[in-house]
mmCIF file of all heavy atoms in Angstrom:
data_model
loop_
_atom_site.group_PDB
_atom_site.id
_atom_site.type_symbol
_atom_site.label_atom_id
_atom_site.label_comp_id
_atom_site.label_asym_id
_atom_site.label_seq_id
_atom_site.Cartn_x
_atom_site.Cartn_y
_atom_site.Cartn_z
ATOM 1 N N ASP A 49 -5.983 11.551 -10.075
ATOM 2 C CA ASP A 49 -6.660 10.266 -10.207
ATOM 3 C C ASP A 49 -5.709 9.114 -9.888
ATOM 4 O O ASP A 49 -5.931 7.981 -10.292
ATOM 5 C CB ASP A 49 -7.377 10.112 -11.553
ATOM 6 C CG ASP A 49 -6.467 10.281 -12.750
ATOM 7 O OD1 ASP A 49 -5.350 10.816 -12.597
ATOM 8 O OD2 ASP A 49 -6.870 9.880 -13.852
ATOM 9 N N TYR A 53 3.942 9.123 -11.771
ATOM 10 C CA TYR A 53 5.074 9.160 -12.698
ATOM 11 C C TYR A 53 6.329 9.205 -11.834
ATOM 12 O O TYR A 53 6.451 10.096 -10.987
ATOM 13 C CB TYR A 53 5.036 10.416 -13.553
ATOM 14 C CG TYR A 53 3.880 10.506 -14.522
ATOM 15 C CD1 TYR A 53 2.706 11.152 -14.173
ATOM 16 C CD2 TYR A 53 3.980 9.945 -15.800
ATOM 17 C CE1 TYR A 53 1.647 11.249 -15.062
ATOM 18 C CE2 TYR A 53 2.925 10.037 -16.698
ATOM 19 C CZ TYR A 53 1.761 10.690 -16.328
ATOM 20 O OH TYR A 53 0.723 10.786 -17.211
ATOM 21 N N ARG A 319 -23.090 25.328 -22.476
ATOM 22 C CA ARG A 319 -24.125 25.828 -23.371
ATOM 23 C C ARG A 319 -25.385 26.252 -22.620
ATOM 24 O O ARG A 319 -25.754 25.639 -21.625
ATOM 25 C CB ARG A 319 -24.522 24.732 -24.360
ATOM 26 C CG ARG A 319 -23.431 24.411 -25.333
ATOM 27 C CD ARG A 319 -23.363 25.457 -26.418
ATOM 28 N NE ARG A 319 -21.979 25.572 -26.865
ATOM 29 C CZ ARG A 319 -21.593 26.412 -27.807
ATOM 30 N NH1 ARG A 319 -22.460 27.206 -28.406
ATOM 31 N NH2 ARG A 319 -20.327 26.479 -28.158
ATOM 32 N N GLU A 362 -21.511 32.144 -9.007
ATOM 33 C CA GLU A 362 -21.877 33.572 -9.060
ATOM 34 C C GLU A 362 -22.184 33.942 -10.505
ATOM 35 O O GLU A 362 -23.173 34.621 -10.804
ATOM 36 C CB GLU A 362 -20.734 34.435 -8.510
ATOM 37 C CG GLU A 362 -21.031 35.920 -8.449
ATOM 38 C CD GLU A 362 -20.861 36.670 -9.759
ATOM 39 O OE1 GLU A 362 -19.977 36.310 -10.556
ATOM 40 O OE2 GLU A 362 -21.622 37.609 -10.009
ATOM 41 N N ARG A 366 -25.844 34.899 -11.962
ATOM 42 C CA ARG A 366 -26.004 36.211 -12.592
ATOM 43 C C ARG A 366 -26.643 36.069 -13.970
ATOM 44 O O ARG A 366 -27.538 36.831 -14.348
ATOM 45 C CB ARG A 366 -24.625 36.886 -12.680
ATOM 46 C CG ARG A 366 -24.616 38.231 -13.310
ATOM 47 C CD ARG A 366 -23.533 39.149 -12.708
ATOM 48 N NE ARG A 366 -22.226 38.532 -12.550
ATOM 49 C CZ ARG A 366 -21.297 38.480 -13.513
ATOM 50 N NH1 ARG A 366 -21.535 38.971 -14.704
ATOM 51 N NH2 ARG A 366 -20.115 37.921 -13.278
ATOM 52 N N ASN A 383 -24.964 16.933 -15.727
ATOM 53 C CA ASN A 383 -24.243 15.758 -16.228
ATOM 54 C C ASN A 383 -22.731 15.941 -16.165
ATOM 55 O O ASN A 383 -21.992 15.023 -15.835
ATOM 56 C CB ASN A 383 -24.673 15.484 -17.670
ATOM 57 C CG ASN A 383 -24.237 14.123 -18.146
ATOM 58 O OD1 ASN A 383 -24.412 13.136 -17.444
ATOM 59 N ND2 ASN A 383 -23.642 14.062 -19.327
ATOM 60 N N LYS A 583 -51.352 5.018 -50.671
ATOM 61 C CA LYS A 583 -49.981 4.756 -50.224
ATOM 62 C C LYS A 583 -49.083 5.968 -50.477
ATOM 63 O O LYS A 583 -48.219 6.295 -49.650
ATOM 64 C CB LYS A 583 -49.427 3.519 -50.931
ATOM 65 C CG LYS A 583 -48.071 3.121 -50.374
ATOM 66 C CD LYS A 583 -47.627 1.736 -50.771
ATOM 67 C CE LYS A 583 -46.263 1.432 -50.164
ATOM 68 N NZ LYS A 583 -45.698 0.186 -50.691
ATOM 69 N N GLU A 588 -45.707 10.181 -48.386
ATOM 70 C CA GLU A 588 -45.358 11.602 -48.370
ATOM 71 C C GLU A 588 -45.433 12.157 -46.946
ATOM 72 O O GLU A 588 -44.529 12.871 -46.498
ATOM 73 C CB GLU A 588 -46.303 12.403 -49.276
ATOM 74 C CG GLU A 588 -45.960 12.316 -50.749
ATOM 75 C CD GLU A 588 -46.972 13.050 -51.638
ATOM 76 O OE1 GLU A 588 -48.057 13.438 -51.131
ATOM 77 O OE2 GLU A 588 -46.671 13.216 -52.835
ATOM 78 N N ASP B 64 -15.077 38.866 -14.591
ATOM 79 C CA ASP B 64 -15.551 39.555 -15.785
ATOM 80 C C ASP B 64 -15.957 40.989 -15.465
ATOM 81 O O ASP B 64 -16.723 41.612 -16.194
ATOM 82 C CB ASP B 64 -16.647 38.778 -16.529
ATOM 83 C CG ASP B 64 -17.831 38.418 -15.642
ATOM 84 O OD1 ASP B 64 -17.714 38.528 -14.408
ATOM 85 O OD2 ASP B 64 -18.867 38.027 -16.191
ATOM 86 N N TYR B 68 -19.836 44.021 -6.945
ATOM 87 C CA TYR B 68 -20.895 44.030 -5.946
ATOM 88 C C TYR B 68 -20.397 44.901 -4.794
ATOM 89 O O TYR B 68 -19.323 44.642 -4.261
ATOM 90 C CB TYR B 68 -21.159 42.620 -5.405
ATOM 91 C CG TYR B 68 -21.704 41.644 -6.409
ATOM 92 C CD1 TYR B 68 -20.864 40.799 -7.128
ATOM 93 C CD2 TYR B 68 -23.079 41.539 -6.631
ATOM 94 C CE1 TYR B 68 -21.362 39.885 -8.038
ATOM 95 C CE2 TYR B 68 -23.588 40.624 -7.542
ATOM 96 C CZ TYR B 68 -22.726 39.805 -8.242
ATOM 97 O OH TYR B 68 -23.228 38.895 -9.131
ATOM 98 N N ARG B 334 -16.609 15.226 -23.558
ATOM 99 C CA ARG B 334 -16.956 13.997 -24.249
ATOM 100 C C ARG B 334 -15.832 13.507 -25.161
ATOM 101 O O ARG B 334 -15.130 14.300 -25.762
ATOM 102 C CB ARG B 334 -18.190 14.223 -25.112
ATOM 103 C CG ARG B 334 -19.420 14.494 -24.311
ATOM 104 C CD ARG B 334 -19.972 13.202 -23.772
ATOM 105 N NE ARG B 334 -20.637 13.475 -22.503
ATOM 106 C CZ ARG B 334 -21.220 12.543 -21.773
ATOM 107 N NH1 ARG B 334 -21.226 11.285 -22.166
ATOM 108 N NH2 ARG B 334 -21.791 12.848 -20.639
ATOM 109 N N GLU B 377 -2.308 16.847 -18.784
ATOM 110 C CA GLU B 377 -1.700 15.550 -18.448
ATOM 111 C C GLU B 377 -2.748 14.457 -18.567
ATOM 112 O O GLU B 377 -2.492 13.387 -19.129
ATOM 113 C CB GLU B 377 -1.128 15.592 -17.022
ATOM 114 C CG GLU B 377 -0.382 14.335 -16.598
ATOM 115 C CD GLU B 377 -1.270 13.195 -16.116
ATOM 116 O OE1 GLU B 377 -2.345 13.455 -15.526
ATOM 117 O OE2 GLU B 377 -0.910 12.027 -16.362
ATOM 118 N N ARG B 381 -2.794 11.548 -21.388
ATOM 119 C CA ARG B 381 -2.778 10.157 -20.930
ATOM 120 C C ARG B 381 -3.910 9.372 -21.583
ATOM 121 O O ARG B 381 -3.735 8.230 -22.018
ATOM 122 C CB ARG B 381 -2.900 10.142 -19.401
ATOM 123 C CG ARG B 381 -2.909 8.793 -18.768
ATOM 124 C CD ARG B 381 -2.224 8.791 -17.382
ATOM 125 N NE ARG B 381 -2.637 9.873 -16.511
ATOM 126 C CZ ARG B 381 -3.735 9.842 -15.729
ATOM 127 N NH1 ARG B 381 -4.529 8.801 -15.739
ATOM 128 N NH2 ARG B 381 -4.015 10.854 -14.928
ATOM 129 N N ASN B 398 -13.650 24.242 -28.976
ATOM 130 C CA ASN B 398 -14.744 25.213 -28.888
ATOM 131 C C ASN B 398 -14.973 25.724 -27.471
ATOM 132 O O ASN B 398 -15.232 26.894 -27.254
ATOM 133 C CB ASN B 398 -16.031 24.579 -29.422
ATOM 134 C CG ASN B 398 -17.106 25.606 -29.679
ATOM 135 O OD1 ASN B 398 -16.846 26.631 -30.296
ATOM 136 N ND2 ASN B 398 -18.295 25.354 -29.176
ATOM 137 N N LYS B 598 -43.502 6.608 -58.273
ATOM 138 C CA LYS B 598 -43.525 7.571 -57.168
ATOM 139 C C LYS B 598 -43.461 6.868 -55.811
ATOM 140 O O LYS B 598 -42.788 7.335 -54.894
ATOM 141 C CB LYS B 598 -44.784 8.447 -57.243
ATOM 142 C CG LYS B 598 -44.750 9.562 -56.224
ATOM 143 C CD LYS B 598 -45.761 10.655 -56.450
ATOM 144 C CE LYS B 598 -45.632 11.731 -55.374
ATOM 145 N NZ LYS B 598 -46.731 12.698 -55.442
ATOM 146 N N GLU B 603 -40.652 5.835 -50.838
ATOM 147 C CA GLU B 603 -40.135 4.849 -49.877
ATOM 148 C C GLU B 603 -38.642 5.038 -49.660
ATOM 149 O O GLU B 603 -38.148 5.045 -48.540
ATOM 150 C CB GLU B 603 -40.403 3.422 -50.374
ATOM 151 C CG GLU B 603 -41.831 2.963 -50.143
ATOM 152 C CD GLU B 603 -42.097 1.559 -50.703
ATOM 153 O OE1 GLU B 603 -41.237 1.049 -51.467
ATOM 154 O OE2 GLU B 603 -43.152 0.998 -50.382
#
Side-chain angles (χ1 to χ4, degrees):
Chain A
D49 57 344
Y53 294 93
R319 292 282 149 180
E362 183 279 327
R366 180 148 46 86
N383 194 47
K583 187 165 180 189
E588 280 176 348
Chain B
D64 55 346
Y68 295 94
R334 293 281 150 180
E377 184 278 328
R381 180 146 47 84
N398 194 48
K598 187 166 180 189
E603 281 177 348

